[in-house]
């Protein structure tokens, strides 16, 4: 059974930082791309970033480029999202997801999803 477990969310002031973790099990980690998505109340789920665990290629949404960094530790089957210079508009539930298809940040591409972790940025 594939499981993705997010952690690291919390409450932070604007300008602060958080690091999210996504621990994966039940899959061949190197074969998958892992994406981070977020969903704010009343809004659609949007892609934030993704990483290919085979070649560590990365992609970022324009809204987070230069502030967020995605990385993976293949030995730990874990993907991280370092979030710096956080803004109130980054407030959302953050989800990680796994796909064996091509890397991208379109939610429909992803087969497995975690339960999410709340990130709240106060102004």
């Amino acid at each position: 059974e594939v499981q993705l477990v997010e952690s690291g969310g919390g409450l932070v002031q604007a300008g602060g930082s958080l690091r999210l973790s996504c621990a994966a099990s039940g899959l061949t980690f190197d074969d998958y791309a892992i994406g981070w998505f977020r969903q704010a109340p009343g809004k659609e789920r949007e892609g934030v970033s993704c990483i290919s665990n085979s070649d560590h290629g990365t992609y970022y949404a324009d809204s987070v480029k230069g502030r967020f960094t995605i990385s993976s530790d293949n030995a730990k089957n874990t993907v991280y999202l370092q979030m710096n210079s956080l803004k109130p508009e980054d407030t959302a539930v953050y989800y990680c997801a796994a796909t064996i298809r091509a890397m991208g940040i379109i939610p429909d591409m992803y087969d497995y999803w975690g339960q999410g972790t709340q990130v709240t940025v106060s102004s």
Side-chain angles (χ1 to χ4, degrees):
E1 178 188 6
V2 176
Q3 285 193 320
L4 301 172
V5 180
E6 303 97 335
S7 60
L11 173 64
V12 65
Q13 289 189 331
S17 298
L18 284 173
R19 188 177 81 154
L20 306 183
S21 299
C22 172
S25 61
L27 51 73
T28 304
F29 192 71
D30 291 6
D31 290 345
Y32 282 77
I34 302 293
W36 283 99
F37 298 82
R38 65 187 182 187
Q39 188 164 20
K43 295 189 176 181
E44 291 189 354
R45 190 168 296 189
E46 66 168 335
V48 173
S49 182
C50 60
I51 187 167
S52 165
N53 289 326
S54 59
D55 63 11
H56 291 240
T58 60
Y59 181 84
Y60 298 92
D62 288 343
S63 58
V64 305
K65 204 172 290 184
R67 300 188 298 123
F68 291 10
T69 303
I70 193 170
S71 62
S72 66
D73 185 337
N74 289 42
K76 296 182 178 180
N77 282 13
T78 300
V79 170
Y80 304 97
L81 185 69
Q82 178 67 44
M83 306 187 296
N84 298 328
S85 303
L86 283 161
K87 305 175 181 180
E89 52 264 42
D90 294 317
T91 295
V93 177
Y94 283 70
Y95 301 88
C96 66
T99 180
I100 203 164
R101 303 184 183 90
M103 188 178 67
I105 55 171
I106 300 172
D108 286 348
M109 293 173 59
Y110 287 76
D111 302 303
Y112 305 103
W113 290 82
Q115 297 284 73
T117 185
Q118 176 70 47
V119 170
T120 303
V121 184
S122 63
S123 56

